[in-house]
Amino acid sequence: ANIGLACAMSGILALDGDPSRYDEQSRALIDSLLEEHPTAMQVTPTEGNHFVYMLPEDATLSNSPGALPSGIDVRANGYILLSPSVVTYRGKEAEDKGVEDGFTGRYRWQPSPLEMPPQPLPDRVLTMLKAKQERPISVLPTVIVHTNGVNGNSYHHDAEKDTRYAQ
């Protein structure tokens, strides 16, 4: 059985790095984290990294795809697997990870939380995550669609609220 850690409930978040998707910006951020903000880190089965930082008490953060450079995702909600967990990738998951079907690998600490406890999330990263959450979400115009339902009812669809009302 694998071991999972509930991130937010445990007061941590993980920056989940996938080197196969890094660009120049990603590499610069990862190099900066390794050099200037070392923290507990584990290596994933596909040689990615989970940088484990303390979740700031005054910030509400969520998993934020696109908030950080390419190949770096945030795991604030949900969980991460922990060493000594072992996973086997098959089919599409193996293809997405860039490994052979049936590849088995394990998570390993480097350094472990016993050697280096999770450190505060760097301000630079927190600023990027907050900026992503504060971006305005485009609002779709209201679209009203009337159709005759199976039993003679018509339905109204309000795309702005993405709800359906029987009329």
Side-chain angles (χ1 to χ4, degrees), residues 7 10-14 39 51-57 61 117-122 126:
C7 295
S10 301
I12 62 105
L13 70 78
T39 191
F51 297 86
V52 182
Y53 289 100
M54 293 185 308
L55 187 63
E57 288 182 30
L61 300 173
Q119 298 298 303
L121 182 67
L126 182 58

Side-chain angles (χ1 to χ4, degrees), residues 22-161:
Y22 288 170
D23 59 16
E24 198 172 299
Q25 249 187 327
S26 310
R27 283 185 205 87
L29 178 58
I30 294 298
D31 289 346
S32 166
L33 293 174
L34 289 168
E35 198 171 302
E36 301 167 21
H37 304 283
T39 191
M41 182 181 74
Q42 63 177 352
V43 179
T44 70
T46 57
E47 299 305 310
N49 298 297
H50 288 160
F51 297 86
V52 182
Y53 289 100
M54 293 185 308
L55 187 63
E57 288 182 30
D58 59 341
T60 303
L61 300 173
S62 62
N63 294 354
S64 302
L68 298 175
S70 177
I72 306 172
D73 295 321
V74 178
R75 302 286 178 245
N77 294 320
Y79 68 95
I80 58 171
L81 289 179
L82 298 177
S83 177
S85 295
V86 175
V87 295
T88 300
Y89 299 110
R90 299 194 191 295
K92 176 136 177 55
E93 188 177 24
E95 185 180 320
D96 290 347
K97 297 280 186 183
V99 295
E100 291 183 30
D101 188 39
F103 173 85
T104 298
R106 67 181 184 87
Y107 289 82
R108 60 192 187 279
W109 288 108
Q110 191 177 31
S112 82
L114 297 175
E115 297 166 327
M116 171 158 311
Q119 298 298 303
L121 182 67
D123 290 337
R124 172 181 172 195
V125 175
L126 182 58
T127 299
M128 287 190 267
L129 295 177
K130 284 184 173 181
K132 166 70 175 179
Q133 289 181 334
E134 292 170 2
R135 287 184 203 152
I137 299 171
S138 62
V139 177
L140 297 173
T142 299
V143 175
I144 299 173
V145 178
H146 289 281
T147 59
N148 287 328
V150 176
N151 60 3
N153 290 331
S154 64
Y155 294 90
H156 166 97
H157 180 245
D158 183 336
E160 184 174 87
K161 296 180 182 170

